[in-house]
Amino acid sequence: MSTRGFTGRRPGADAARRLPPGQYETRDFPVLSLGPAPVIDLAQWRFTLRHGARPLASWTWEQFQALPRTRWQGDIHCVTTWSKFDTEWEGVTLDDLLQAAGVAAPTPYLLAQSYDDYDTNVPLAELAGGRAMIATHFGGQPLTAEHGGPARLLVPHLYFWKSAKWLKGLKFTARDEAGFWELRGYHMHGDPWREQRFSSDD
Ligand SMILES: Nc1nc2c(c(=O)[nH]1)N[C@H]1C(S)=C(S)[C@@H](COP(=O)(O)O)O[C@H]1N2
Ligand SMILES: [Mo]
C-alpha cells in the first residue's frame, strides 16, 4: 500500500504556512542590486570588523577560509514580495567571527557595509545566536558575483535587503544608524512576519 497520500507534500497548504503576509513563492532566484556587481579580486578582498572608525579585526580571503563554517537551510523573503523556500547556504556565523576575533560586541547595533557602497543596519540581537552568517556558498557552490560573492551577509529571518551582498565589513555603531534603503523609506527592522516593509509600518 502506498502511503504517498499521507506523507507527500501538499504544496498549497505548505506554502501558505511558510509564506509571510503579502509574499508569493518563486522557484527562481531573482537578482536585485543597485548597480552591476563590483569586481572583487580575492587577493585584495578584506573583511573588517569595526567599532565606529576603529578596526577591531580584519581577515584576508585565505584567513577567512580557516574560520569555522556553518550550513543553514531555509526560506528567504524579499520585500518586493517573492519568497524562496529551502535555500542552502554555507558561511561563518557572527558568533564564530566574534570568537575568532576575541571580541565582545561593544554596542548592540551594526551596520553592514559593502564593496558597492551599499549599507544596511541590523541589530546585534538579529545576527547573534546563529541567526546570521557571512555566506560564501549557495546551493553547495561558491556564491556567484550577481548574488553577492565572494561573501554576503545572510539574515534570512529579515527582508532580504538586510542581507548585504559583496560584504566588506560589519561596523558596531553607538546608535541604530539607517543604511541605504532605510534612509529611503524602508523599515529600520524589516521583519517579514510583521510585514515591516516601510518606515510607516509598525
Ligand atoms: N551590496 C548590496 N547588497 C544588496 C543589494 C545591493 O544593491 N547591494 N540589494 C539588496 C536587496 S534590495 C535585495 S532584495 C537583496 C537581493 O539579493 P539577490 O540579488 O541575491 O536576490 O540583496 C540586498 N543586498
Ligand atoms: Mo530588495
Side-chain angles (χ1 to χ4, degrees):
M1 190 182 95
S2 169
T3 56
R4 257 188 87 85
F6 298 99
T7 58
R9 289 178 66 193
R10 293 159 53 213
D14 183 53
R17 185 178 54 77
R18 293 168 76 172
L19 281 174
Q23 297 292 113
Y24 73 93
E25 185 193 355
T26 182
R27 304 278 164 112
D28 301 333
F29 195 175
V31 172
L32 287 111
S33 312
L34 295 171
V39 176
I40 301 166
D41 177 0
L42 287 184
Q44 304 298 320
W45 183 90
R46 292 287 181 284
F47 183 85
T48 307
L49 202 57
R50 295 175 200 277
H51 179 192
R54 191 165 64 90
L56 298 172
S58 186
W59 291 265
T60 64
W61 182 252
E62 198 177 11
Q63 291 165 338
F64 199 81
Q65 303 316 302
L67 295 172
R69 308 189 62 79
T70 297
R71 285 187 187 164
W72 182 85
Q73 181 178 332
D75 307 343
I76 56 177
H77 313 287
C78 176
V79 75
T80 60
T81 74
W82 58 265
S83 292
K84 186 172 173 61
F85 295 158
D86 299 319
T87 60
E88 291 174 32
W89 301 85
E90 188 184 312
V92 178
T93 64
L94 182 70
D95 313 88
D96 285 334
L97 196 77
L98 291 177
Q99 172 132 27
V103 165
T107 79
Y109 306 109
L110 291 110
L111 202 56
Q113 301 181 302
S114 298
Y115 278 100
D116 62 342
D117 287 333
Y118 181 89
D119 57 7
T120 186
N121 64 317
V122 194
L124 176 66
E126 302 298 329
L127 299 179
R131 306 184 78 200
M133 65 165 70
I134 295 114
T136 58
H137 286 71
F138 173 80
Q141 300 295 322
L143 197 54
T144 60
E146 60 178 4
H147 287 298
R152 79 180 295 168
L153 188 63
L154 173 70
V155 196
H157 59 285
L158 297 181
Y159 282 125
F160 213 38
W161 88 77
K162 299 288 184 180
S163 293
K165 304 199 279 192
W166 313 297
L167 196 64
K168 72 173 178 194
L170 288 168
K171 182 171 84 165
F172 285 99
T173 56
R175 286 168 294 102
D176 194 12
E177 286 181 26
F180 184 87
W181 284 119
E182 296 82 14
L183 284 169
R184 289 161 178 80
Y186 284 83
H187 200 276
M188 287 295 277
H189 192 74
D191 180 345
W193 293 97
R194 293 162 70 187
E195 220 175 345
Q196 294 172 331
R197 298 177 191 274
F198 308 108
S199 52
S200 53
D201 298 328
D202 288 340

